[in-house]
Amino acid sequence: MADSWEALEAECLRCNGCALCEKRQHVVFGDGARDAEILLVGEGPGQREDEQGVPFVGPAGQLLDDMLEIIHLDRTKVYVANIVKCRPPGNRDPLNVEQDACMGFLRRQTALLRPKMIVCLGRIAAKAIIKEDFRITAEHGQWFERRGVHMTAIYHPSALLRDLSKRPETFSDLKSIQAKIREVCSHTTV
Ligand code: URA
């Protein structure tokens, strides 16, 4: 039977595929336009996301909104999801076993969305989506293409909150994303 957003979300909300389900307040399935041409992927929910069930609503999310605004993009035009849908305790990196247990949901979200572009937010998402040995310091802002989908990674907004020196490079990466949107997207205007 064909997959649907409703069936996928319902399955995700009752998932107990790894130990992260034990301490969660909410599953953070994903948010945004289900016909978006652009998929943004973070690593996993933080405290505020766990409380609200929505990705990128805490301090990193505020910065993400500001970053998108630089290129005239907002949340209504993109879809936002994470590699893992439940909060890792103390905001630690999600373990490989947790990522493996959860990746099927992101794969199915991607299959339903059929994005033209995937922007990985940070190292964890870039390693899971672009390539296992992705080096965020050396390879952020570079473009990769797989089965017609254009992919790139930028520094995670949390890293940009901690380290202001990374912001100029991120500005260039955002301008490159804007140019790529103009090149490959048909109904996303920036
Ligand atoms: N960091 C992430 O990677 N994802 C969120 O949803 C929030 C913070």
Side-chain angles (χ1 to χ4, degrees):
M1 206 173 67
D3 214 354
S4 71
W5 281 104
E6 293 71 25
L8 181 58
E9 182 166 12
E11 198 180 313
C12 189
L13 294 186
R14 59 172 187 265
C15 177
N16 55 11
C18 81
L20 293 181
C21 70
E22 289 161 18
K23 300 230 162 75
R24 74 179 173 223
Q25 293 185 53
H26 287 100
V27 173
V28 180
F29 175 67
D31 183 46
R34 291 179 171 184
D35 64 349
E37 295 178 294
I38 303 160
L39 171 62
L40 305 185
V41 184
E43 63 182 68
Q47 183 186 343
R48 300 281 287 279
E49 291 77 19
D50 181 48
E51 285 164 6
Q52 295 183 39
V54 182
F56 284 99
V57 288
Q62 301 265 294
L63 181 58
L64 178 62
D65 288 346
D66 293 345
M67 289 159 64
L68 297 180
E69 200 179 312
I70 291 173
I71 56 168
H72 312 294
L73 194 59
D74 64 59
R75 298 273 193 116
T76 61
K77 299 187 199 164
V78 300
Y79 192 83
V80 185
N82 282 304
I83 300 292
V84 298
K85 313 301 194 205
C86 298
R87 183 186 182 207
N91 296 342
R92 64 156 169 77
D93 290 350
L95 305 175
N96 285 340
V97 63
E98 294 159 353
Q99 295 186 41
D100 292 347
C102 215
M103 267 313 268
F105 290 119
L106 184 64
R107 276 198 202 96
R108 288 164 63 191
Q109 287 173 304
T110 309
L112 287 164
L113 193 65
R114 302 207 293 125
K116 298 248 168 55
M117 185 184 297
I118 301 177
V119 178
C120 300
L121 303 171
R123 171 181 62 90
I124 300 280
K127 282 179 176 286
I129 293 173
I130 301 177
K131 55 179 179 154
E132 170 59 86
D133 62 350
F134 193 91
R135 307 253 321 123
I136 191 76
T137 328
E139 295 178 291
H140 68 86
Q142 292 184 19
W143 286 96
F144 300 80
E145 193 183 335
R146 208 166 298 140
R147 281 183 255 108
V149 182
H150 301 268
M151 303 179 182
T152 192
I154 61 176
Y155 285 116
H156 193 286
S158 300
L160 298 169
L161 286 172
R162 287 191 302 267
D163 183 354
L164 297 183
S165 74
K166 292 187 165 77
R167 292 194 183 193
E169 294 167 82
T170 303
F171 181 78
S172 306
D173 294 347
L174 288 167
K175 297 305 280 184
S176 164
I177 290 167
Q178 183 179 43
K180 188 66 90 178
I181 292 171
R182 289 177 178 157
E183 183 191 326
V184 306
C185 291
S186 50
H187 66 255
T188 310
T189 46
V190 285

